[in-house]
Amino acid sequence: MAKKTDKIQPKPPFQSTILEEVPTPIKKTKVPTIKQTPNLKPTIITGREKGFWDKIFSSLVGERREIGKYSEIVKKIESLDTKMQALSDEDLRAKTVEFRALFKSVTGKEIQKKLLEIMPEAYAVVREAAWRAIGQKHYPVQLIGGIVLNDGRIAEMRTGEGKTLVSTLAAYLNALPEESQVHIVTVNEYLARRDASWMGEVFNFLGLTIGVIQNQASFFFKLGAQADAASEKKRELGRAETLEDGEQQDKGAVLDVKNLVPCDRKRAYWIEDEGRAVDIVYGVNSELGFDYLRDNMAQTPDEIVQKAGQCVAIIDEVDSILIDEARTPLIISSQDESSSARYKQFSKIAASLNPDLHYTVDEKRKSVNLTDLGIDKVQQILGLGNLYGSPDNVGLIHHLDQALKAHALFKREKEYVVRDNEIIIVDEFTGRLMVGRRYNQGLHQAIEAKESLNVQSESKTVATITFQNYFRLYKKLSGMTGTASTESEELFKIYKLLVVTIPTNRPNVRIDEVDKIFKTEEGKFKTLAQDIKVIHQTGQPILIGTTSIDKNLLLSKLLNDIGVSHEVLNAKNHEQEARIVSTAGRKGAVTLATNIAGRGVDIVLGGNKPENPDHKAVWQKEHEEVKALGGLYVFGTERHESRRIDNQLRGRSGRQGDPGHSIFYVSLQDYILRVFGGDRVNYYNRILPVADTEAIQFSTLGWLIEQAQKKIEGQNFDTRKYVTEYDDVINKQRSVVYARRRRVLLNEGFEWQKESNQALQRELLRALSPLKKPSNKQAKQEFEKNLEAAAKTLKGIVDMREFDIEALRIMLKDNNYNTAKLALKLHNKISEELEIKWDKYTDKEKSSMARFTFLRAIDILWTEHLVTIDHLQDSTRLRYIAQKDPLTEFKEEGMSLFLGLLSEIDHEIAQTVFKVNPDLVPAGMML
């Protein structure tokens, strides 16, 4: 909620005008004839209508031109197949050594040129290795996907096309240059473990090393680990210890996958014994980002884990990571003292307000605004005359804003759940619990107070970065997904990534039925439950996607009431998602899930294909039976905010040429139509001559749904753009500070004497520069004030007789008030004093003490700077009222603050350097 200067509620400047709903005048004509269609005729979708950006990018890199070019390279790769088959395992593995030798004297742009030269042969090697290691050989379309990834682009491949196997091609090739580490980024921890265990066999066959990074746990690949009979039996019985939410288990724990050995975080990135980087690291997007931030907070070189830096990243489900999750920056916080009583007080105030009288909720902008009556009541409760009339009340307004948001906008079982007396955020796109994450700016505390839980201390930011700026650190970035074309404009503008739509290996024959539209949500769910029962009786497997936990539980109850047995998958039992999703294609299976899209586990008709040859005949029979029934039937219970997420849900059905069905059930009371549909929705809700449980087919309502989705997509794009534009300002500052910090920490080109002298000299000039020769009485008063401040600053560095006020006054006169000349003389004296004080220490100790001094100053002041920047960002948002551009204001004042930060760092170094001793320096810094 934006802070109020009066009773006027200004629109936040970062919201686009696309959010403004302008009701379309409805002409008074007769009611149109509407076809009532309880059982709509299926419509086979053979293609999708391309938008402007789709057409532009399709002409540039799509199937029209680029696919043809890629197909020529595929022919070269396939032509090497016979040659590779003739090689022994040892000879095939020796190809890695041969390739790596080609890069020993190659640097810069020449590396990419060399990668392109050897790509056909390298991909042929991986193709053959995959066949020998895991029994899979890349299809031609998968080879195209690998070429796209090496080009630093996004490969759009439908669900079930084998994107996991595609990643092995580009990952192997780009891991060949010396010290080039490849990060394969996944959306959740199970996929990181599964893919590393599975594809790791291919990489291991070719002599590459593999690591896995996840929350509070890490592993390295070792073929055969956790693959003993006892472990396999436990996994088969479902008793594997799955490291729920990344919780660290003991070394004897049985993993839900094989071939992985628990290790410390550094070992997953770096092999210390060999002094080189792990070749390929699988990791969750947030954990890789947090490791980057933690590395830039390290106090000793030994604490750095990402020693290879950000070289190459291949992102699985790239749209989920670079689009969906990019609205929220990564933040590392420390506790800040704050009164929990204040949160509880305002939570009670918010609960006492009537939403119909005292405040209004804007679901579009996710804000809550007090009405005049609400302001009067709050002022009465607090005993204040004018809540918004004094700057002293800023803290009270902040607590009130957060309490109102917690009560009006954040719903239990939707935005968060309560587990073990803790508030755990639910990811709105995946439905997963975000354990360890907290809302910032006191919102998490406000929700804790609302739920009558223990209110934890508020936090302050010590390090932060957006996903946009983190992934732009990589020298080469690419990704894979089933749905990216609708976001091609944003992916290009923000990340300079082009989308290549790759054709399917087999034709898509899924039947996508037109939406069934109902007047009420209650009628929609009742009809949906009955329709599910009818289809379930045929044995056809069913997958139902819901947008929230509460809708998930509501439909589950309806299905139980009518006797439909089903599996439930939501944020409360997401640990079982791999097992539940993998069986969703079995005959008679009914799976009810929140936001199933993008979970990364294939739904195979008849269930997962067994490895045991004795069981394959039984599986094959069920597989054919399910195909004959029509494949997987996907139900969407409402349209998602993004068309892309809807497409992901549809894409769970019809993999690899399998049959399938999909349909969405929509009501006029659904969120997107209710909030973004405009006046027409209310109009049609009044005039439609149908019962609540009857469905209609009406093109205008279909158009309204599409328009509503476009509005929400526009809002989300604006939010991400807003986050990126503001973080770009901070990112330039962060790059300077982190580069300086890393140079000091690793002692790379850091000349401690020169750096210390420069910091001292800059501080002396800053302290003495205001001491101009006074020309009148007023100037003399100002001079005396500045002289006293300068003397205090100089004595803070080192207590010398020359820094007494009178001594300083005499020196100024003797030097004719030339402060630069005087600063040089005083600097020489200070340097002599420092040499005398440090004469008893070794050169190693002197260097370490100087580096410790610099690091301490940078860390303390950078943290304070981030807090100041947060406040600046809040304050500049409202300056558009004064006809000023908030972003421009933020840039200008942010730069001024940054220059002040650099000056303050010099000040802190000068004030500390005489006080440090070897005992204060961490042992790891004594290089």
Side-chain angles (χ1 to χ4, degrees), residues 836-852:
I836 294 171
K837 180 176 175 59
W838 284 20
D839 187 55
K840 56 186 175 182
Y841 303 128
T842 65
D843 289 341
K844 182 187 292 186
E845 288 174 327
K846 292 176 184 177
S847 174
S848 299
M849 288 190 296
R851 287 164 50 227
F852 171 76

Side-chain angles (χ1 to χ4, degrees), residues 541-647:
I542 298 169
L543 174 67
I544 311 139
T546 63
T547 57
S548 64
I549 298 174
D550 55 345
K551 302 291 173 60
N552 186 277
L553 298 176
L554 169 64
L555 186 53
S556 178
K557 182 179 183 304
L558 290 174
L559 292 176
N560 284 329
D561 290 344
I562 61 176
V564 177
S565 177
H566 60 281
E567 288 270 17
V568 177
L569 175 58
N570 57 40
K572 291 189 170 184
N573 67 335
H574 74 109
E575 304 87 5
Q576 302 298 322
E577 71 175 57
R579 178 185 62 81
I580 294 173
V581 174
S582 66
T583 60
R586 306 238 9 216
K587 185 178 179 180
V590 178
T591 307
L592 176 58
T594 51
N595 291 348
I596 186 69
R599 288 189 184 271
V601 181
D602 238 356
I603 298 178
V604 181
L605 300 186
N608 280 348
K609 192 172 182 178
E611 294 183 8
N612 190 331
D614 298 335
H615 299 161
K616 286 185 179 179
V618 176
W619 173 85
Q620 188 65 40
K621 181 181 177 183
E622 183 174 343
H623 177 72
E624 295 301 326
E625 287 178 358
V626 173
K627 285 179 69 174
L629 290 169
L632 182 68
Y633 206 123
V634 172
F635 285 93
T637 59
E638 65 183 272
R639 285 288 186 171
H640 197 273
E641 292 184 359
S642 169
R643 292 166 295 169
R644 180 171 43 82
I645 306 299
D646 290 342
N647 293 336

